[in-house]
Amino acid sequence: MVDTMALLPAFLRSSRSVRRASRLAGRPSAEDEPVLDGADDRLSPALVAAGRGEYGPAAALLAATRGAREWEDRDRYAQCLAAFARSRPEWFEAWGAADPGDPGLRLVAAQLAVDRAWPSPARAELLREVSPLITAAARAEDRDPVPWRIALDHARGSRAGHGYFGELWEAAVRRSPHHYGCHVAALRYLAASWRGSHRECFDFADRAAQDAPADSLVQALPVRAAFGYLTVGGGTEVPRARLDAAADRAAALSARLPAADPCAAETRNLLACVLVRLGRRREALVQLRLTGPYATSFPWERESDDPLGHFLRLREELAAADREGAAGAGAGAVPVPAAGPRGSVAADDH
């Protein structure tokens, strides 16, 4: 029998070996109706100030995450600020003119450059031109894994080889062994490298989750692999038991985290989507309720051109079925695997 782990590049065999712009200014509370990609209580004031052309609160927020080593929050905030800067650049340009060496500024600049290049048909060529910005972000704060997550995404987009990607991966996990963003970037790279070889994605995700603490977001990595399998279809077959185990692991993580937690929002939205596809609709409703007002574009944008509307309709449908006592029978289960209503998802979008 072939050892599938032996097929992986060395950097992937063990994690031990080493979004939206204007709508982000929405500030949901636990009582609010969901908004898409709503900002939390820390990010919202920074976005409101940025809308007025003021960069100070954004700079202070990123400085606070750097000082406290809140790498998951820092990653999330940097992506949100970069998305805001794409449509409202004045505050960001003022920040760059006033303090070009600020580590937070350099981090957002690197993310923004990658985001701008990504949709282009000439993505690989454009991304090579932004490498100096990523290097500058990494040098600005040596402890920070987030520039290395950007570098991992950059390497995937520029079609870097396994050797170079492995060097980046080792540098990333040296700084933060269980940083979720870096692990997601590695999973996406693996999916792009072996299109349709879902077992390799699961092997990496399962090993990483086993290595990580029980409350780490890395516990949700296998459910991302499950989502990739369920939406792409084809390729190597993954047993149903492995898909259920991935969902169970993510559900256990969700149970450890507070309700309406913005840091857990994407995980809970993703888990709900996977549970629906597995026919576990009552459990999906639990996750949709736990997420509170924090609906996220991913994964619902893969299901519909109206991700928030899809989220709301699904929540109401599941709640109605639960009230009628029909959910326990698995009504409406989606066959496994199945492509989403919008068709197949590219393998590198795990």
Side-chain angles (χ1 to χ4, degrees):
M1 179 178 293
V2 176
D3 179 4
T4 57
M5 291 302 293
L7 301 176
L8 300 176
F11 71 89
L12 292 178
R13 291 177 189 159
S14 170
S15 63
R16 285 186 186 136
S17 70
V18 275
R19 206 156 201 224
R20 306 298 177 258
S22 58
R23 67 183 177 222
L24 289 168
R27 186 180 178 183
S29 69
E31 294 78 27
D32 289 335
E33 272 298 293
V35 296
L36 196 65
D37 302 326
D40 64 21
D41 288 342
R42 297 175 72 188
L43 178 61
S44 183
L47 292 172
V48 171
R52 296 194 301 261
E54 302 167 10
Y55 64 85
L61 175 61
L62 290 180
T65 60
R66 178 167 55 94
R69 300 192 180 193
E70 296 170 328
W71 305 130
E72 302 294 358
D73 285 341
R74 183 173 176 81
D75 198 349
R76 186 161 50 91
Y77 295 152
Q79 292 184 66
C80 291
L81 289 167
F84 197 83
R86 287 188 72 180
S87 63
R88 300 288 296 275
E90 299 84 1
W91 64 278
F92 184 71
E93 292 168 356
W95 187 7
D99 193 1
D102 186 330
L105 172 83
R106 292 188 173 188
L107 183 65
V108 176
Q111 182 67 60
L112 179 58
V114 171
D115 289 348
R116 284 173 170 164
W118 204 268
S120 171
R123 175 197 300 171
E125 293 74 16
L126 292 174
L127 284 175
R128 294 186 187 103
E129 297 175 4
V130 305
S131 294
L133 293 175
I134 302 174
T135 300
R139 289 177 175 170
E141 174 51 80
D142 185 62
R143 302 170 301 170
D144 186 359
V146 183
W148 296 93
R149 190 271 303 157
I150 298 172
L152 293 170
D153 285 339
H154 176 275
R156 173 169 57 97
S158 56
R159 304 188 187 97
H162 292 327
Y164 177 65
F165 194 93
E167 293 174 7
L168 296 176
W169 171 251
E170 289 177 6
V173 296
R174 236 184 356 257
R175 285 158 176 80
S176 182
H178 308 297
H179 182 254
Y180 181 57
C182 290
H183 280 77
V184 170
L187 184 66
R188 286 171 168 164
Y189 180 87
L190 182 57
S193 299
W194 278 286
R195 293 183 180 275
S197 296
H198 301 288
R199 286 202 192 103
E200 280 76 10
C201 293
F202 267 95
D203 288 343
F204 169 66
D206 285 342
R207 183 68 63 88
Q210 290 163 12
D211 289 350
D215 60 351
S216 168
L217 289 177
V218 175
Q219 295 296 332
L221 202 64
V223 89
R224 290 192 75 107
F227 176 76
Y229 175 69
L230 291 167
T231 52
V232 173
T236 55
E237 183 177 355
V238 177
R240 169 63 190 247
R242 197 167 193 182
L243 299 172
D244 282 323
D248 292 343
R249 184 184 285 274
L253 170 65
S254 177
R256 295 185 185 101
L257 301 175
D261 180 359
C263 193
E266 186 178 274
T267 292
R268 284 175 169 146
N269 280 257
L270 176 63
L271 174 57
C273 181
V274 169
L275 287 168
V276 168
R277 285 177 173 270
L278 293 176
R280 297 166 58 175
R281 298 169 68 84
R282 179 168 289 165
E283 295 168 83
L285 177 60
V286 170
Q287 297 305 319
L288 291 177
R289 287 172 170 165
L290 282 172
T291 199
Y294 296 105
T296 57
S297 294
F298 177 80
W300 308 117
E301 62 190 359
R302 309 291 176 81
E303 306 279 319
S304 169
D305 290 324
D306 177 16
L308 179 58
H310 184 83
F311 173 95
L312 294 171
R313 287 189 296 273
L314 178 63
R315 189 179 64 172
E316 177 54 35
E317 174 192 327
L318 295 180
D322 187 57
R323 288 191 296 268
E324 295 168 3
V334 177
V336 179
R342 300 184 70 190
S344 295
V345 176
D348 65 347
D349 283 337
H350 269 279

